[in-house]
Amino acid sequence: MTTSERTRSLEAMTELDSAGLYRVLTWLSPAFPVGGFSYSGGIEWAVEAGDISDAASLRGWLSVMLTDGSGFCDAVFLAHVHRAVELGDMEALRRTAELAAAFVPSRERQLETTAQGRAFIEIVRSAWNCDGLDQTVAQCETVVYPVAVGLVGAAHGVSLVPLLHGFLHALTSNWISAGSRLVPLGQTDSQRVLGALEPIVAATAERALRASLDEIGSSTFRADLASLRHETQYTRLFRS
């Protein structure tokens, strides 16, 4: 990251007022009822297969998921949706939402992201509605989770940079929570994993802010297999 890019990021972070901060913390809290706790993103199968067996292997798995998998892809979708809503470019919003809905490797992953997206929109409509939100949501045939977060954040005037960092932190925390129950890991080891991933989350956010939709791509083949094989896993605690 260049000095100017770092300066812009810091300036955007300072733009988050108290209301915006309150909403980001609320919407991306584990207590916000989108059902994220019921999904493991394929981690359940990875644990059974022996790919993840301790804190170090969980950290390595999640590092790749963030930089080369769904973490990066979802972050790019969120950023492009947020900008489209800010600019009132409904055609760009529709195209991005359609691409995001198609960009999933398995039926379970599709269920995960669409169910959380619907839940996020429904809860915000009930408790945090704002002018123009319904009309903006209506532009999208399917609203997957990162699209929902980007759309709602822009509709409420929440700055993109802190919203994106919050989204990636919540995504990573949910993955670690699943891993802590499956490996299992203690609370201290789980926090060590989260701490070790901090620079990777930050780097992923910065990269996503600069990326075009043409740069979206995944090279996490083993994780994609995990999401496919989880569908027929004999014993399952999670839905994905």
Side-chain angles (χ1 to χ4, degrees), residues 30-225:
F32 200 70
V34 295
F37 64 88
S38 63
Y39 301 98
S40 79
I43 291 173
E44 186 164 24
W45 182 86
V47 170
E48 181 172 299
D51 294 72
I52 298 174
S53 58
D54 54 19
S57 53
L58 177 63
R59 182 178 67 248
W61 182 278
L62 298 187
S63 175
V64 176
M65 288 293 290
L66 283 165
T67 57
D68 299 309
S70 59
F72 170 70
C73 297
D74 283 356
V76 176
F77 289 131
L78 188 158
H80 279 264
V81 164
H82 189 283
R83 293 184 184 118
V85 174
E86 275 194 325
L87 295 171
D89 189 343
M90 296 299 104
E91 179 58 30
L93 171 62
R94 286 190 291 269
R95 288 198 309 269
T96 306
E98 181 179 3
L99 179 61
F103 214 82
V104 289
S106 69
R107 180 174 60 87
E108 286 192 354
R109 171 65 176 148
Q110 181 77 14
L111 169 66
E112 176 181 350
T113 190
T114 55
Q116 290 190 77
R118 285 194 302 270
F120 189 88
I121 292 294
E122 289 170 5
I123 298 160
V124 168
R125 276 173 165 164
S126 297
W128 304 87
N129 210 352
C130 65
D131 292 341
L133 180 60
D134 288 345
Q135 295 88 332
T136 304
V137 172
Q139 300 296 319
C140 308
E141 183 175 344
T142 303
V143 180
V144 297
Y145 187 45
V147 169
V149 175
L151 187 158
V152 167
H156 279 263
V158 176
S159 299
L160 172 57
V161 172
L163 181 69
L164 182 58
H165 278 265
F167 174 81
L168 286 173
H169 175 271
L171 179 66
T172 305
S173 296
N174 192 68
W175 284 337
I176 292 172
S177 177
S180 70
R181 285 174 277 171
L182 292 165
V183 173
L185 298 177
Q187 293 181 348
T188 300
D189 277 340
S190 297
Q191 290 302 309
R192 286 182 180 133
V193 173
L194 186 59
L197 291 173
E198 179 182 348
I200 296 170
V201 168
T204 299
E206 291 297 336
R207 181 174 158 226
L209 287 168
R210 299 191 300 269
S212 69
L213 291 176
D214 290 336
E215 294 176 71
I216 292 178
S218 171
S219 58
T220 53
F221 185 63
R222 186 70 172 171
D224 292 343
L225 283 177

